[in-house]
Amino acid sequence: MASVFVEACLIPVVFDNCRGWLHPPTEVGTSRRGVIVCGAHGFEDLCSRSSLRLLAEELSAREIPVLRFDWRGTADSEGDGEAPHRVATWLGNIGEAARKLVDMTGVEEIVLVGLRLGALLALEAEAKT
């Protein structure tokens, strides 16, 4: 399958002291489903950033909005990544990311895509809903 070149369009977003990037579809409101990318942590996050960005760009080129973000207290987000209860905070980040994605794009369904620690957090967040 040939890859379709689409000029990357990123919208910086802030929610729950997290910094993120919305990869919108070319036509807002065309997709019922959106994706939240729950990235890895630490060095694994650093190594996987470009791949997850490419995944988000490919999905948005197919009219699926994607929200990527840094966990609270990590990378570009505010807070202390070593604070007690950080796992509960990161689970809350997923819920806030979902609200932000719905508010900005109007999607009705959300798919969580996670890598390493992000996959574990995505599973836990889904189990709690």
Side-chain angles (χ1 to χ4, degrees), residues 40-100:
H41 182 265
F43 185 69
E44 292 170 336
D45 176 53
L46 180 64
C47 293
S48 62
R49 279 183 175 261
S50 62
S51 297
L52 293 178
R53 179 186 50 80
L54 289 172
L55 171 65
E57 289 173 358
E58 286 291 327
L59 290 171
S60 69
R62 289 166 173 73
E63 303 302 329
I64 300 171
V66 180
L67 179 60
R68 296 182 301 122
F69 67 97
D70 292 331
W71 303 106
R72 187 172 183 180
T74 67
D76 291 328
S77 294
E78 296 178 20
D80 181 3
E82 299 299 318
H85 311 294
R86 64 186 168 269
V87 171
T89 299
W90 292 339
L91 288 171
N93 293 160
I94 296 172
E96 291 300 318
R99 282 185 269 291
K100 189 69 166 183

Side-chain angles (χ1 to χ4, degrees), residues 23-45:
H23 298 259
T26 53
E27 294 184 35
V28 176
T30 58
S31 179
R32 290 186 53 238
R33 185 173 296 133
V35 173
I36 295 174
V37 175
C38 302
H41 182 265
F43 185 69
E44 292 170 336
D45 176 53

Side-chain angles (χ1 to χ4, degrees), residues 47 72 79 107 111 123:
C47 293
R72 187 172 183 180
V107 296
V111 175
L123 283 172

